[in-house]
């Protein structure tokens, strides 16, 4: 089997309850950081990593995501009438090519593992990436690109990894670390949301994965894990003695945009990283008391 990663799955079927009321009618993945929705960053990152086919696992109330990645003849006509050829060109540049985007629906949000399983027929028999749009990463080299390069050497299953504090381990999948060689960590498995004090390490799994299609063999069983959800980390743990499992300690700053305070931090960090916004925003921040 080839190690080339051509397809990416974007699970966007979750309810986003931690971000209510913003997410009552608007998908969490459409929340904008500066001027792009979260899902737009995820697709850009996938494309930068060489991904050619984009598979979205959507759910009820998520049609804004499909509209976002669709051609809008009306908008193009209106921009043309205003002489905005620059804006038209910009729009066309990021729109996925016809036939390269697929949508399937997760009928019930039964967990991340279940969402990925819903994409099994679209993925087929090849390794594939999974990107969670609410994990937004600011980095010089896109996180998935870093991983795809490392993956070419090691194959198997790979997850993005981040060191977290002791009090945070119970919110993540935590790697059972065997050895480390620079940013590449060899792991014997992964435990979902271990209680503090029982975590095998402080290395947490973040929302970027490269997986072999055998992951669907486990997910086919529809076994419920932590929180009663069908967990992707349980499937990855099951695979650990069948294919090598690696963590990739990525270069970059990660924001969990499913959490309000981190979403705000992401907006500030991404705006400060932009030349057209930095000075104005910095000047404003300096006016804040205690800033
Ligand atoms: P989260 O658990 O962070 O998202 O899943 P959530 O369930 O939407 O949010 P809260 O906890 O209620 O606030 C991370 C990603 O996995 C997707 C979500 O859409 C999100 O992008 N997901 C999660 C699914 O696609 N299906 C699910 O059943 C669960």
């Amino acid at each position: 089997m080839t190690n080339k990663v051509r397809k990416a799955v974007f699970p966007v079927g979750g309810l986003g309850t931690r971000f209510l009321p913003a997410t009552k009618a608007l998908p969490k993945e459409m929340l904008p950081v500066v001027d792009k929705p979260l899902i737009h960053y995820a697709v850009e990152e996938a494309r930068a990593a060489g991904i050619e086919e984009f598979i979205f696992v959507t759910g009820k109330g998520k049609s804004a995501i499909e509209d976002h990645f669709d051609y809008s003849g009306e908008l193009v006509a209106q921009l043309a009438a205003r002489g905005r050829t620059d804006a038209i060109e910009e729009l066309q540049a990021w729109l996925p090519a016809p036939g390269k985007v697929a949508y399937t629906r997760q009928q019930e949000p039964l967990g991340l593992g279940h969402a990925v399983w819903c994409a099994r027929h679209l993925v087929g028999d090849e390794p594939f990436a999974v990107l969670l749009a609410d994990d937004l990463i600011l980095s010089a080299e896109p996180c998935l690109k870093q991983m795809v390069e490392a993956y070419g050497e090691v194959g198997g299953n790979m997850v993005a990894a981040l060191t977290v504090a002791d009090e945070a381990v119970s919110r993540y999948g935590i790697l059972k670390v065997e050895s480390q060689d620079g940013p590449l960590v060899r792991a014997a498995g992964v435990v979902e949301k271990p209680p503090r004090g029982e975590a095998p390490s402080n290395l947490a799994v973040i929302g970027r994965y490269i997986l072999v299609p055998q992951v669907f063999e486990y997910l086919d069983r529809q076994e419920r894990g932590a929180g009663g959800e069908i967990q992707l980390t349980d499937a990855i743990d099951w695979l650990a003695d069948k294919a090598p499992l690696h963590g990739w300690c990525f270069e970059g700053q990660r924001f969990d945009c499913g959490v309000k305070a981190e979403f705000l931090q992401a907006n500030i960090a991404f705006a400060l990283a932009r030349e057209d916004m930095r000075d104005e925003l910095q000047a404003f921040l300096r006016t804040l008391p205690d800033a």
Side-chain angles (χ1 to χ4, degrees), residues 112-214:
L112 179 59
H114 181 260
V116 171
W117 176 78
C118 289
R120 65 202 180 282
H121 296 300
L122 295 165
V123 168
D125 192 24
E126 57 183 284
F128 64 103
V130 177
L131 294 95
L132 305 189
D134 40 3
D135 272 335
L136 184 60
I137 299 166
L138 183 61
S139 58
E141 191 179 14
C143 179
L144 189 67
K145 185 162 188 276
Q146 300 172 36
M147 289 172 67
V148 162
E149 280 166 15
Y151 188 79
E153 304 289 317
V154 294
N157 294 293
M158 183 179 279
V159 296
L162 178 72
T163 302
V164 297
D166 289 344
E167 53 273 23
V169 289
S170 60
R171 299 205 304 267
Y172 293 94
I174 300 290
L175 289 172
K176 299 176 198 162
V177 175
E178 275 187 335
S179 61
Q180 181 153 7
D181 178 11
L184 192 66
V185 171
R186 178 73 197 237
V190 55
V191 226
E192 183 64 23
K193 300 188 172 66
R196 188 181 176 174
E198 287 176 32
S201 76
N202 281 52
L203 218 47
V205 176
I206 298 304
R208 302 287 182 276
Y209 311 77
I210 302 176
L211 303 173
V212 292
Q214 286 74 19

Side-chain angles (χ1 to χ4, degrees), residues 271-286:
L272 288 174
R274 277 183 40 169
E275 268 176 35
D276 60 330
M277 305 193 73
R278 185 184 307 130
D279 294 347
E280 199 179 333
L281 182 58
Q282 260 169 351
F284 167 71
L285 291 174
R286 277 191 223 104

Side-chain angles (χ1 to χ4, degrees), residues 83-123:
R84 292 290 314 278
T85 42
D86 56 328
I88 296 173
E89 275 165 25
E90 224 173 273
L91 277 180
Q92 315 288 43
W94 60 256
L95 216 55
K100 293 294 184 184
V101 191
Y103 296 94
T104 188
R105 251 189 186 218
Q106 184 188 23
Q107 290 160 337
E108 280 180 278
L110 298 179
L112 179 59
H114 181 260
V116 171
W117 176 78
C118 289
R120 65 202 180 282
H121 296 300
L122 295 165
V123 168

Side-chain angles (χ1 to χ4, degrees), residues 10-20 23 27-29 39 57-59 62 65 106 108-116 130-135 193 207 209 229-231 256-259:
F10 302 87
V12 291
L15 296 176
T17 53
R18 286 170 298 164
F19 228 117
L20 284 167
T23 48
K28 173 171 74 172
E29 300 79 8
I39 189 67
V57 182
T58 70
K62 300 280 182 167
I65 296 173
Q106 184 188 23
E108 280 180 278
L110 298 179
L112 179 59
H114 181 260
V116 171
V130 177
L131 294 95
L132 305 189
D134 40 3
D135 272 335
K193 300 188 172 66
Y209 311 77
E229 295 195 342
I230 299 171
Q231 297 284 357
D256 180 355
C257 291
V259 173

